[in-house]
Amino acid sequence: MVNLVGSLSVLMLLCALSLVALRRYNSSIVAVSLQSLLLAVATALVAHAMGNREGYLAAILTLAVKAVAIPFILHWVKGRTDSGGGPPLKELSPGWALLVAGLVVILAYQSASPVTALGGVLIRASFPQAMSILLLGLFILIVRRSALLQIIGLLVMENGLYLSALTATGGMPVVVEMGMFLDLLVGVLIMGVFSSRIVGAFRSLDTDRLHKLKG
Amino acid sequence: MFPLFFSGRGRKVAIFLKLALTLLGLGLAGNLAGAALSCALRRLSSLSRWPSVAAGAACLGYLAAGLAVLLGEGTHVVVLPMFHPLGGFSLSLDPLAAFFLCVIGLVGVAASLFGQGYLRHLKGRDLGSVGAWYNLFLLSMALVVTGANAVTFLFFWEGMALSSYFLVVSKKEDPAARQAGFVYLVMAHLGTACLVVLFLWPAAQIHSLAFARMAILWPGLPAGEKTILFLLALVGFGSKAGMVPLHVWLPRAHPAAPSQVSALMSGVMLKVAIYGLLRVVFTFLGVGPVWWGLLVLGLGVVSALLGVLYALMEHDLKRLLAYHSVENIGIILMGVGVALLARSLHLPALLMIGLLAALYHILNHAVFKGLLFLGSGSVAQATGTGDMEKMGGLIHRMPWTAGGFLVGAAAISALPPLNGFASEWLTFQALFGLGYHPVAWWSGLAGTLGVAALALTGGLAAACFIKAYGVTFLALPRSRAAEKAAEVPRSMNLGAGILAASCFVLGLFPSRVAAVLRPAVAALGGPHPPPPGSFFTLASGMGGASLSPLLLAAILVVLLLATRFWSGRMPERLSATWGCGGTLGATSEYNATSFAKPFRIAFAFLFRPVREINSGYEVSPFFRHSLHYRGEIRFLFEEYLYEPVRSFLLELADRFRQVQSGNLRTYLAYLFLTLLALLAVNNKWL
């Protein structure tokens, strides 16, 4: 069971790494949905292992919010933009981005070692991956210029954070989980609305153009 | 009821203290009521006098409370059950606090009385907010001097700075006032920062913010730490007191405030800073090395001389008065410096004279500077300007104001028998005492140089007030506004009259004043027995010098009557002045700039005067159609001390602005890199 959670977290890490390289909206949304789906399965497995009935509720919420509702919102935002129009935004090339991402993962694994040395089996199996995912999410936020892909970066961070909390505690109280999901949903909704406003103002999702608004 | 602690002698003292506490409480309540009233009535300009009335009543309470403690001798501690996590507010009315409460009360009563009439005609200011901040300003000052722990002190110290800041910038749409306010705020916060460190740093070791504990435990601190604390106190309180070179805000901020507020800021707020200095240096820090006293004495000399010299060059009445405040703070610091030296050298008689001189001059300066600022306010209201070059001849149109201003000018020039003379005489005695004591060659030198500097200061101050009075009140009016000036309402003159009468009373009975000040001197560690002298005579107790202003006054009155008698017998003849064939008018009068010219030349090394004359002509330079003269002096401290610091800070800020690109992703990258760096440090990679 523990091994299975570890494997799932490695798969999630692979999703995050692919998101570092991917720049198309459709495939990015698919990748982040897949990562959320894997997270939901991992949540359910941990709930089963701990015999924690509430954990199943968390898994169902993860599935509903992160793997279904949020991708739906992202698709809506994408639909608002005239996708494919204009040249691709100038960003760090995928090769260089993956190289940096690899270094970040190494650093994360190194830094996680004091924690894993002290923690239980579950932590040992998946905490380094969780931390890597968290840092990669932040990295995506920095590298991407498009508002939509930045939202995806934030979701990756959130997934990493959730995974680390899950493995460290073996499932949080359901009240906390619900609060988190509500926050996330509202946050993504607001960001989605803002993105569509950015498109309305600049005919592009490029957040660097916001710079022009500075007085 | 609040927990109370008494320390004092006998039942009579307890009654005095209860009375004092009640009066203090009434005063504080009066200020709060005034502030609330002012906010409530801001739309009704016909009722705008009531906040001033409340403030005046409150100040009467402060004055009475202070006097009750000074006459009853005792200490009263009140703990207010507020803000307990920070140690709570607590108040204490010891004789030192009581003395300063008296100063606040006396000037506050006069200023509030003046303000009643003055505020009604004030243009361009929001009367509601002026009334509210005015009350809060008085309240904060009263609570600073009665505060018994660092929290109370710092809280109301900051309240005092902020409320006076809002009064300085109360003139809307005046860029000069806003700039003055900014300079004031910067200097005030520089000082407050020093004070926060001053009080909180030792608290880590002695685990107490109460002043009573500090007085016991601070003397035991290591000498190096005490030196730093002393310097912090000097900068922190000196920036508020207007000590050179921290005086730059003073000539800017004082003219921008309404006049009765200038009177309070100059007359009282600077003294509250001196209160802090005395409290910390004399009662907390214990006996220090000799150089402390020499440093304070030196700063006093520099402040006194530079203050009066810059005042001579100033032609705006209120700015001139503000520079004189720098001068008088210098004189007070001379007394404090001598007292500090005497304490280090264990000379109790000199210590007492030094402290007495400082405290007496604090009281006197508050009174006559308040009077002068109120007079300048009356003049400014009547003529609509503060520029002396546009005044003249006001003595015929505003006789009461002119009379009050004359009393103030004579007092600040230390003419007997007014109060300025008594305290400057005491300062002279202190400096002479230091010069005579065969301690070391440097103490003799310091005392002698101090005497010379004080004498020069006194002479220059008298010259400056001859200029100020002569140009403002005598001769012919130099502008239409001055021609049309009329006497101000009676309540304003009454406020000034209280202070003018105080100038006489405090000057004629110096030994009585010294007796009342005795508990405050004792609270600062001065010896207890009263100075020798009879009811009418004040003696220094050193070298047999003594002073009897009543006798001097009697001689002066006799001389005055004699000259009137003799001049009445002389034949009198009136005729026009010969004007070389031209007509003489107001423009050919000797004005402030011409009066100051000899001083500008004599002290050119300090002033570095710049002069520029532009003449316009068409055919020949002998037939000019216009002539423009511009002359100004340069301010050394601003040019060589503040300007480099200012430009350095601005440049630094420009460099830092590069970091703030305004791009979200850049900020995220900072975050990311910081996080990675921290992780690397955690892994011991770096």
Side-chain angles (χ1 to χ4, degrees), chain A residues 188-210:
Chain A
V188 171
L189 261 175
I190 291 172
M191 284 186 279
V193 171
F194 260 98
S195 303
S196 84
R197 295 297 296 263
I198 293 171
V199 171
F202 296 109
R203 306 245 159 265
S204 160
L205 270 172
D206 183 6
T207 51
D208 279 9
R209 299 198 187 183
L210 291 175

Side-chain angles (χ1 to χ4, degrees), chain B residues 102-247:
Chain B
C102 282
V103 175
I104 296 170
L106 181 57
V107 183
V109 167
S112 306
L113 207 56
F114 178 90
Q116 261 188 71
Y118 179 69
L119 276 183
R120 262 183 291 173
H121 303 284
L122 217 52
K123 288 182 191 74
R125 296 184 203 257
D126 179 356
L127 293 187
S129 69
V130 168
W133 289 118
Y134 178 74
N135 273 285
L136 289 176
F137 181 44
L138 280 167
L139 179 85
S140 309
M141 286 198 293
L143 287 172
V144 166
V145 298
T146 50
N149 62 21
V151 176
T152 320
F153 186 91
L154 288 174
F155 188 90
F156 290 104
W157 178 269
E158 197 57 19
M160 178 176 86
L162 288 179
S163 51
S164 52
Y165 164 76
F166 283 113
L167 289 165
V168 167
V169 297
S170 63
K171 194 166 198 173
K172 285 173 187 155
E173 284 125 30
D174 182 2
R178 265 203 302 275
Q179 207 227 341
F182 179 73
V183 173
Y184 174 43
L185 208 59
V186 168
M187 295 306 288
H189 278 112
L190 176 78
T192 308
C194 288
L195 295 186
V196 169
V197 178
L198 168 73
F199 284 121
L200 297 190
W201 184 32
Q205 292 162 50
I206 66 172
H207 305 292
S208 175
L209 289 171
F211 281 175
R213 298 285 294 159
M214 288 183 185
I216 298 167
L217 294 173
W218 276 27
L221 294 171
E225 192 175 329
K226 280 206 289 190
T227 296
I228 297 174
L229 291 177
F230 170 73
L231 292 175
L232 281 170
L234 201 59
V235 173
F237 292 119
S239 70
K240 192 63 147 198
M243 181 181 79
V244 170
L246 302 167
H247 65 288

Side-chain angles (χ1 to χ4, degrees), chain B residues 360-384:
Chain B
Y360 202 168
H361 201 68
I362 284 170
L363 176 61
N364 288 342
H365 178 244
V367 170
F368 58 63
K369 187 49 69 62
L371 171 59
L372 289 168
F373 263 115
L374 296 187
S376 77
S378 300
V379 168
Q381 193 183 75
T383 61

Side-chain angles (χ1 to χ4, degrees), chain B residues 346-660:
Chain B
H346 306 289
L347 304 169
L350 192 59
L351 170 62
M352 192 201 69
I353 293 294
L355 284 175
L356 192 61
L359 290 182
Y360 202 168
H361 201 68
I362 284 170
L363 176 61
N364 288 342
H365 178 244
V367 170
F368 58 63
K369 187 49 69 62
L371 171 59
L372 289 168
F373 263 115
L374 296 187
S376 77
S378 300
V379 168
Q381 193 183 75
T383 61
T385 174
D387 188 359
M388 280 160 41
E389 311 279 34
K390 297 201 174 74
M391 298 173 187
L394 295 178
I395 194 168
H396 303 295
R397 292 162 187 81
M398 313 170 69
W400 289 102
T401 305
F405 201 89
L406 183 62
V407 171
I412 198 172
S413 309
L415 297 187
L418 294 163
N419 59 350
F421 176 70
S423 52
E424 279 200 31
W425 182 82
L426 272 173
T427 312
F428 269 118
Q429 290 306 315
L431 289 166
F432 273 126
L434 181 67
Y436 285 154
H437 264 287
V439 181
W441 61 270
W442 49 260
S443 73
L445 192 63
T448 317
L449 288 179
V451 167
L454 185 56
L456 180 59
T457 306
L460 290 173
C464 187
F465 273 95
I466 291 171
K467 174 189 102 171
Y469 193 81
V471 174
T472 309
F473 291 101
L474 304 182
L476 296 175
R478 293 183 177 79
S479 67
R480 286 198 69 78
E483 262 171 55
K484 289 189 172 166
E487 187 58 277
V488 293
R490 197 173 299 153
S491 69
M492 288 167 69
N493 278 327
L494 193 63
I498 292 176
L499 293 177
S502 306
C503 278
F504 277 105
V505 172
L506 291 172
L508 286 174
F509 304 100
S511 63
R512 293 301 85 206
V513 178
V516 175
L517 293 185
R518 201 166 50 92
V521 173
L524 288 171
H528 218 64
S534 67
F535 190 85
F536 297 117
T537 317
L538 182 66
S540 70
M542 292 180 307
S546 66
L547 162 74
S548 179
L550 269 182
L551 194 64
L552 274 171
I555 296 171
L556 283 172
V557 168
V558 168
L559 281 176
L560 191 70
L561 289 176
T563 44
R564 277 198 80 97
F565 179 72
W566 289 114
S567 67
R569 299 191 153 198
M570 300 279 189
E572 208 170 282
R573 203 177 60 176
L574 285 175
S575 67
T577 312
W578 184 60
C580 302
T583 47
L584 291 178
T587 48
S588 31
E589 278 170 12
Y590 213 54
N591 64 10
T593 312
S594 34
F595 194 94
K597 175 132 189 172
F599 300 99
R600 200 159 56 236
I601 293 169
F603 293 94
F605 65 93
L606 174 71
F607 296 133
R608 318 271 175 97
V610 184
R611 194 169 64 159
E612 195 180 292
I613 299 174
N614 289 323
S615 55
Y617 59 87
E618 270 156 25
V619 183
S620 140
F622 299 107
F623 297 97
R624 289 173 179 155
H625 59 74
S626 69
L627 189 64
H628 290 284
Y629 169 86
R630 194 179 66 88
E632 58 180 28
I633 59 167
R634 285 154 65 194
F635 296 90
L636 289 187
F637 283 105
E638 272 144 69
E639 212 162 303
Y640 293 107
L641 179 64
Y642 286 93
E643 186 51 40
V645 171
R646 194 185 73 99
S647 49
F648 171 73
L649 283 178
L650 285 180
E651 202 172 307
L652 203 67
D654 265 348
R655 294 269 168 83
F656 274 113
R657 196 178 290 164
Q658 311 280 320
V659 175
Q660 273 201 327

